[in-house]
Amino acid sequence: MSENIESVLNETRLFEPAEDFVARARIKAVDLEALHRKAESDYEGFWGDLAREEIDWHKPFTKTLDDSRAPHFGWFTDGLLNISWNCLDRHLAQRGDQAAIIFEGEPGDTRRISYRELHAEVCRFANGLKAQGVQKGDRVVIYMPMIPEAVVAMQACARIGAIHSVVFGGFSAEALRDRVNDAGAKMIVTSDGGHRGGKVVELKQAVDKAIDHGCPSIEKVVVFKRCGNDVVMRKEDVWWHDVIAGQADQCDPEWVDAEHPLFLLYTSGSTGKPKGIQHATGGYLLNAIVTNKWVFDMHDGDVFWCTADVGWITGHSYVAYGPLAIGGTEVIYEGTPTVPDAGRFWKVCQDHGVTIFYTAPTAIRALMKLGETWPEKYDLSKLRLLGTVGEPINPEAWMWYHTVIGKERCPIVDTWWQTETGAHMIAPVPGAMPTKPGSCTRPLPGIIADVVNEEGHPVGANQGGLLVIKKPWPSMLRTIWGDDDRFRKTYWGQFGGKYYLAGDSARRDEDGYFWIMGRIDDVLNVSGHRLGTMEVESALVAHPRVAEAAVVGRPHDVKGEAIVAFVICKGERPTGATAEAMLKELREWVSQEIGPIAKPDDIRFADNLPKTRSGKIMRRLLRSIARGEEITQDTSTLENEQVVLQLQGKA
Ligand code: WTA
């Protein structure tokens, strides 16, 4: 099966969108060409006109792009707006009763929230935040399950000009504390718990632990009651329902500069310390809007479901903001895809009439493994467009998605982008072009992407190189919170500030389609989640018994990458039953330090790590060992060649 698909790929077979899809698409081939032409001939005019058309400005901007402080680019700098106004208030007259959010909890409870209701909820909570002392520019950490209140909290922050920083509910207390402290947050918004995987995830407990371990900037913790599990309310805690009690359902939005920070979102990089990616209000909103229109082709009547958690950028641009900014209807589902059984995603699609479905390749692969009988049980006939994000999708999974879920009727949009880019950068415009399994296709209009060599020169067709973006775009990150130097070095250092370096390698084929090959830095992609090898290494060496650790990725057929750790213990090298016990302990330890997603799949113990003469860990060698490949590299420079056998488990 997989071989056939590989050869399909080699033929570079194209999948044309169906005629009826094209007929009602917002953007057809001619429109797309016109957009590209306009962006090429008048770059600023292109983005400026879109910003005027798509956003309601409280005070219009006069300057589109300020490049006087590059690489700190500013967009629409003298304009004033509020993103929550754009997502809610401006729809009330026409869409007040339309569902904004259709929610389904993991236990099966459902809620339909209209635009009018969502607006009222957001206003009440925004007023409540102000009453609790939150002001414009303050940082608020949101640590919530995937429930509508997470979106309410984000929108409420935006409404009053506070900067939110959502921390994924799967992260541990330690990871939460680090992010709270880096952001200097004043408040944490959380819930008693969340339903996931048939269990209650005790979020409030993790917050208590984070605070016990030191979060000096935190003044208040707001707790939403979701599961009714026991929580201890402490001196800084206040219930969500008490915060909103008596608050008005109207709240004048704070009009902010387009450059006002909207949010921070922490993501992994090459060092042990996550980066607080900072986004600005106006530019971010614009790309969130246009990509929902161009790539998701969202129309009135569509029911959009993006399965991402709000803890990731996808849950920001394609749950909390984008779909609402264009007046769409979206599904939010709290739980995992396999509770109570492997049909859950497809049942949610059927029950809520989902028309556009957006998920990660890892989920597709996991569900594919569980067989076709699950999706076949449900009516998926309303689906008209499918999407993927987070990692390259292997052609086998693409074909399964295409045939079993999309019934060969739905185009697949494979969207390449990053926390840093804010919105889709390279992705199909589905009614305007054919797709190829495994390719994210071509850069969107106004996104000037290229594949270059180390010197910054474009490489030829089908040659691998560095993926760069050559012109600023509105939803680009503005800096790394508290570490502008790292921002300059990481993204703009390599090509003298000229190009944005994405950190991915890619090739472009003879049709100009992009194929993402993987990260060029020490970032792993586990189930579509970015994890720095250094983060996992730092967590491991924080264990009292660990002296040194090196972490690499190994291909995994569901998760994309599995984590393999090479560990040097203080004292004796553990073997046999001791090694088994130590392995279990370290997996649990990493889970506590970062979160369950960072648990190493495999841990090997040795007396030493293989290093070059200059003391650098030989990661390439470790990768080969992790994959069980034969070692062809020169190991003669190693202090102790025996180490390789130990790491291979042969000695
Ligand atoms: C990878 C997620 C191939 C890539 C939105 C990128 C992808 C990193 C794709 C960003 C895709 C994301 N095809 N690779 N369609 N989408 N990636 O910040 O390596 O969590 O740099 O943002 O995921 O991950 P992040």
Side-chain angles (χ1 to χ4, degrees):
M1 171 93 175
S2 139
E3 266 175 17
N4 290 340
I5 290 159
E6 287 298 341
S7 64
V8 167
L9 181 66
N10 293 338
E11 292 166 29
T12 58
R13 241 175 78 181
L14 291 177
F15 290 80
E16 297 283 350
E19 267 172 39
D20 56 338
F21 188 94
V22 175
R24 69 186 289 259
R26 280 176 182 267
I27 311 278
K28 302 183 184 23
V30 285
D31 309 315
L32 182 60
E33 284 322 305
L35 285 169
H36 278 298
R37 266 202 312 277
K38 172 146 190 215
E40 269 154 40
S41 63
D42 177 15
Y43 191 71
E44 283 192 37
F46 171 79
W47 286 117
D49 287 350
L50 280 172
R52 276 180 285 268
E53 283 159 27
E54 302 289 356
I55 293 175
D56 282 5
W57 295 90
H58 183 65
K59 174 176 162 268
F61 61 91
T62 60
K63 180 141 188 65
T64 297
L65 172 61
D66 174 7
D67 56 7
S68 61
R69 295 177 311 118
H72 296 99
F73 297 94
W75 287 88
F76 324 121
T77 45
D78 57 348
L80 286 179
L81 78 162
N82 182 282
I83 190 168
S84 161
W85 171 279
N86 275 274
C87 290
L88 301 169
D89 306 53
R90 68 164 163 171
H91 304 312
L92 292 182
Q94 279 194 4
R95 303 178 184 274
D97 296 322
Q98 180 193 316
I101 294 174
I102 300 168
F103 171 66
E104 182 165 319
E106 197 182 73
D109 52 318
T110 60
R111 276 156 72 191
R112 177 191 183 278
I113 304 170
S114 69
Y115 270 92
R116 201 181 320 286
E117 289 161 342
L118 186 60
H119 174 261
E121 292 289 323
V122 168
C123 286
R124 264 195 288 271
F125 195 63
N127 287 326
L129 287 178
K130 285 198 278 192
Q132 297 295 325
V134 178
Q135 294 174 354
K136 181 179 173 186
D138 285 345
R139 275 81 61 211
V140 174
V141 163
I142 298 174
Y143 185 65
M144 298 274 273
M146 194 53 190
I147 57 176
E149 282 69 21
V151 174
V152 171
M154 293 163 81
Q155 288 275 348
C157 287
R159 195 161 187 95
I160 65 173
I163 304 167
H164 61 68
S165 173
V166 183
V167 176
F168 174 52
F171 277 130
S172 69
E174 303 306 319
L176 172 64
R177 183 204 53 194
D178 292 347
R179 286 159 177 76
V180 165
N181 291 340
D182 191 83
K186 198 171 192 177
M187 174 185 273
I188 300 175
V189 181
T190 188
S191 74
D192 50 357
H195 297 283
R196 261 195 94 75
K199 291 190 286 236
V200 171
V201 179
E202 305 250 6
L203 294 168
K204 172 63 167 65
Q205 233 176 54
V207 171
D208 291 349
K209 191 167 162 197
I211 289 182
D212 289 342
H213 290 193
C215 295
S217 57
I218 292 297
E219 294 171 11
K220 287 265 161 61
V221 175
V222 177
V223 187
F224 180 77
K225 194 178 211 144
R226 164 69 184 144
C227 299
N229 50 309
D230 280 343
V231 297
V232 182
M233 292 300 275
R234 316 192 310 179
K235 63 176 190 322
E236 63 276 11
D237 300 340
V238 44
W239 286 107
W240 173 296
H241 49 256
D242 291 333
V243 169
I244 60 169
Q247 294 294 349
D249 60 4
Q250 297 290 329
C251 170
D252 287 341
E254 178 79 32
W255 303 112
V256 299
D257 295 344
E259 283 298 303
H260 181 68
L262 174 64
F263 64 82
L264 311 178
L265 185 60
Y266 284 83
T267 189
S268 298
S270 309
T271 76
K273 192 168 175 272
K275 310 178 269 196
I277 303 299
Q278 181 180 322
H279 277 287
T281 306
Y284 174 80
L285 174 60
L286 181 60
N287 283 90
I289 290 175
V290 297
T291 52
N292 268 284
K293 290 189 171 177
W294 295 345
V295 179
F296 291 134
D297 188 44
M298 251 194 254
H299 287 72
D300 279 347
D302 270 320
V303 178
F304 176 69
W305 181 20
C306 163
T307 67
D309 190 278
V310 287
W312 311 111
I313 188 68
T314 310
H316 283 59
S317 309
Y318 303 104
V319 179
Y321 292 112
L324 299 174
I326 66 167
T329 293
E330 63 176 333
V331 169
I332 292 181
Y333 167 62
E334 181 184 26
T336 56
T338 48
V339 171
D341 59 43
R344 187 61 180 269
F345 265 16
W346 317 124
K347 185 172 189 311
V348 170
C349 284
Q350 167 192 279
D351 291 355
H352 303 297
V354 172
T355 60
I356 305 170
F357 179 69
Y358 188 39
T359 196
T362 183
I364 298 167
R365 288 191 297 266
L367 294 168
M368 177 172 84
K369 280 203 146 181
L370 298 166
E372 292 171 19
T373 49
W374 291 107
E376 275 163 9
K377 282 191 189 175
Y378 299 98
D379 176 7
L380 300 177
S381 62
K382 290 238 171 77
L383 286 175
R384 60 179 205 89
L385 180 64
L386 303 172
T388 73
V389 58
E391 54 177 313
I393 178 164
N394 49 311
E396 187 189 359
W398 196 100
M399 289 304 297
W400 186 83
Y401 204 26
H402 173 69
T403 50
V404 178
I405 305 305
K407 315 281 188 243
E408 300 180 4
R409 191 186 64 235
C410 307
I412 296 178
V413 288
D414 174 349
T415 59
W416 178 86
W417 59 298
Q418 308 175 293
T419 305
E420 292 87 342
T421 70
H424 303 155
M425 296 277 106
I426 308 179
V429 174
M433 59 204 276
T435 50
K436 300 182 186 185
S439 166
C440 52
T441 75
R442 289 163 47 195
L444 291 170
I447 303 303
I448 316 303
D450 204 348
V451 181
V452 301
N453 63 18
E454 301 278 337
E455 283 77 51
H457 302 304
V459 299
N462 289 315
Q463 279 187 289
L466 307 173
L467 182 58
V468 294
I469 303 175
K470 293 182 155 177
K471 281 194 179 195
W473 66 99
S475 64
M476 63 199 305
L477 79 163
R478 296 308 195 257
T479 187
I480 294 173
W481 181 261
D483 200 350
D484 196 55
D485 214 37
R486 190 173 176 196
F487 164 75
R488 289 168 177 273
K489 282 199 192 112
T490 309
Y491 303 108
W492 305 96
Q494 176 129 6
F495 301 111
K498 247 171 59 184
Y499 302 155
Y500 167 83
L501 182 73
D504 281 340
S505 57
R507 72 179 166 88
R508 197 168 27 185
D509 69 18
E510 51 288 344
D511 299 325
Y513 278 43
F514 284 68
W515 301 76
I516 306 297
M517 292 156 61
R519 297 288 306 187
I520 52 169
D521 50 15
D522 291 323
V523 172
L524 303 173
N525 194 327
V526 180
S527 300
H529 298 145
R530 271 167 74 170
L531 279 174
T533 51
M534 278 286 286
E535 273 173 274
V536 186
E537 288 166 7
S538 317
L540 285 165
V541 295
H543 187 280
R545 276 275 279 132
V546 174
E548 217 179 349
V551 165
V552 298
R554 166 175 78 201
H556 185 280
D557 61 354
V558 173
K559 298 199 279 189
E561 270 187 296
I563 302 176
V564 182
F566 298 93
V567 170
I568 315 307
C569 284
K570 293 176 187 157
E572 284 275 286
R573 169 166 71 100
T575 52
T578 335
E580 283 293 309
M582 191 67 192
L583 185 144
K584 264 183 77 181
E585 186 174 327
L586 288 179
R587 276 169 52 83
E588 201 37 51
W589 173 266
V590 173
S591 180
Q592 291 290 326
E593 290 284 307
I594 305 176
I597 48 169
K599 265 190 203 176
D601 295 81
D602 191 0
I603 300 179
R604 313 273 180 86
F605 300 99
D607 292 325
N608 268 308
L609 288 175
K611 289 189 185 155
T612 61
R613 274 173 205 272
S614 60
K616 265 190 103 163
I617 294 172
M618 295 172 77
R619 286 180 182 280
R620 225 155 50 91
L621 177 67
L622 290 179
R623 271 186 218 114
S624 304
I625 295 173
R627 289 162 192 231
E629 291 166 358
E630 217 173 297
I631 306 301
T632 52
Q633 284 112 319
D634 178 17
T635 54
S636 59
T637 52
L638 287 177
E639 291 168 62
N640 177 359
E641 283 187 73
Q642 178 75 1
V643 160
V644 174
L645 293 175
Q646 288 175 358
L647 292 169
Q648 286 174 315
K650 293 181 184 165

